[in-house]
Amino acid sequence: MVVSEPLKIPVISWIINSRCNYRCGYCYTSGSNTHSPHYSASEIQALVESVETVSPTSLYLSGGEPLLDKSLLTFVRSARSSTFESIWICSNGSLVTAAVVRELKDEGVSGFSISLDHTIPQMMDLLTGSPGSFQKAINALETIKQAGLKTQLTITLMRQNMNVVPDLIRTGMDLEVDTIEFKRYRPVAARGENDKFSLEPEENRRVLREVFLAAHKNRNVNFFVHDPLFGVEYYRELEERGGMESLDRLSESLGCLAGKQWVGIDPFGYVSPCPLLLYSGLTIGNIKEQPLIDILLGSEEFYTLRNTSEQESACKYGSVCGGCRTHARLATGDYLQKDPMCPYEDYSCPSCFSRSSSV
């Protein structure tokens, strides 16, 4: 296959461990105590060199809880010497102290993404299985800001917090975080068990519209929504308002980003077009065995996700949505099927895919 231009993946989401001090039932690692392999500094450097073959600019180090990983500083130091322009730590905030933040800042970390999934402390404690988790997250964000690093408030949308979305947004604004990020809950950890966290498709649509209206009203706040269906709500609202030209500015951030804007890597080096697809069982190679660029160029799934033709889509929103490939795989076993959270029965996700001659 001929590559017309150098392959570039802007964002790498690297899950460096599965160990966590919380027990969030909605987490895709499900609070596992599984330890990541012990890597030497030279092994981590080799892994980073494999990753930098796709010229990434942003690295998100997550877990589990990455601050529990003794190799975290080694990952950061290796990444700092590569192509990454920004390095982020994704944390629950419980282990964030001024000393920890200062050390990571000195090593080149750009910012922290801190999870906060409720505004009622007792509810947050129930969700995380850890007393005091609400205040720990608030304290962490304040400590990070005081150190002069970027802050991102990350919220997982689910049944337990769908009625406090305005309060969560207000909390982020009061804390003056740089970004308020919303993620759709995917039932990765629910495998065959009672799923008490998922929203119904229509509930999810209403929440996404609520987030859109908040983002439209508060344009001084950076909102980011990890749910392809947000693109549909954006499209519908802009269409009604007659402002479709705004889609040009947002085209790269709307829709499913799997294999296009980011890829995921797990603690053992396995690669997937999306971090959550890792936990659905879809992997396409291992960076311990091949450079990341070779893994991606040799992957049928990677090509399929990058070369879907909008003209082949059976949905009018194909260009701004595309559906969540992880949720589709979890629901049907096939990552190419319709997103089960889509409330629009008249449309379906692309069912015909073409192989292009270039990436």
Side-chain angles (χ1 to χ4, degrees), residues 11 15 24 30 52 54 64 98 106-107 116-117 127 142 160 169 175 178 234 245 250 265 273 278 280 293 303 334 337:
V11 179
I15 303 162
C24 306
S30 201
E52 68 181 355
V54 296
D106 290 344
E107 294 293 347
L116 183 70
D117 294 320
L127 288 170
E142 291 174 341
Q160 285 76 2
I169 292 173
L175 290 167
D178 296 287
Y234 223 120
E245 68 279 355
L250 297 163
I265 303 171
L278 284 166
S280 75
I293 191 169
Y303 278 116
D334 183 353
Q337 294 301 310

Side-chain angles (χ1 to χ4, degrees), residues 21 78 91 94 130 223 267 332 359:
N21 54 340
S78 296
S91 171
S94 63
S130 179
F223 285 79
T332 69
V359 174

Side-chain angles (χ1 to χ4, degrees), residues 112-286:
F112 282 73
S113 174
I114 302 295
S115 299
L116 183 70
D117 294 320
H118 216 287
T119 53
I120 300 174
Q122 295 88 339
M123 284 298 301
M124 184 72 177
D125 290 352
L126 285 173
L127 288 170
T128 63
S130 179
S133 55
F134 172 82
Q135 194 58 50
K136 289 174 184 176
I138 300 298
N139 292 345
L141 287 164
E142 291 174 341
T143 298
I144 295 160
K145 279 192 67 66
Q146 288 171 5
L149 292 180
K150 296 288 187 180
T151 52
Q152 177 172 288
L153 177 63
T154 297
I155 301 156
T156 301
L157 293 170
M158 53 189 156
R159 181 170 298 280
Q160 285 76 2
N161 64 15
M162 67 176 181
N163 293 323
V164 295
V165 168
D167 296 333
L168 285 164
I169 292 173
R170 193 175 303 111
T171 298
M173 293 176 65
D174 289 345
L175 290 167
E176 298 182 338
V177 298
D178 296 287
T179 301
I180 301 176
E181 177 191 53
F182 288 94
K183 299 190 298 183
R184 180 204 300 184
Y185 163 75
R186 280 87 167 180
V188 174
R191 303 277 184 93
E193 300 178 6
N194 178 36
D195 179 11
K196 59 185 179 181
F197 300 103
S198 284
L199 296 171
E200 294 296 324
E202 187 57 33
E203 291 174 330
N204 190 59
R205 189 198 68 78
R206 290 199 302 268
V207 171
L208 290 178
R209 185 173 187 277
E210 188 172 29
V211 173
F212 168 83
L213 293 174
H216 187 75
K217 179 180 179 181
N218 302 287
R219 299 194 179 198
N220 59 321
V221 181
N222 184 33
F223 285 79
F224 196 89
V225 185
H226 277 295
D227 186 334
L229 287 164
F230 183 66
V232 178
E233 297 311 310
Y234 223 120
Y235 186 105
R236 287 164 63 91
E237 288 288 337
L238 292 177
E239 191 175 39
E240 290 180 10
R241 298 166 187 261
M244 296 304 293
E245 68 279 355
S246 299
L247 283 175
D248 294 336
R249 179 176 58 85
L250 297 163
S251 59
E252 290 189 356
S253 61
L254 294 178
C256 178
L257 305 181
K260 299 173 183 177
Q261 294 295 314
W262 71 348
V263 298
I265 303 171
D266 81 357
F268 298 91
Y270 288 100
V271 177
S272 186
C274 167
L276 288 179
L277 274 172
L278 284 166
Y279 289 93
S280 75
L282 194 159
T283 59
I284 59 176
N286 193 301

Side-chain angles (χ1 to χ4, degrees), residues 1-18:
M1 180 165 293
V2 177
V3 180
S4 59
E5 59 184 37
L7 177 61
K8 179 177 177 63
I9 301 294
V11 179
I12 302 296
S13 178
W14 200 331
I15 303 162
I16 63 172
N17 69 355
S18 297

Side-chain angles (χ1 to χ4, degrees), residues 34-66:
T34 303
H35 291 266
S36 60
H38 174 72
Y39 295 120
S40 66
S42 60
E43 287 173 327
I44 291 174
Q45 182 61 43
L47 296 177
V48 170
E49 289 174 0
S50 171
V51 170
E52 68 181 355
T53 57
V54 296
S55 303
T57 54
S58 297
L59 173 65
Y60 287 78
L61 295 171
S62 66
E65 173 49 61

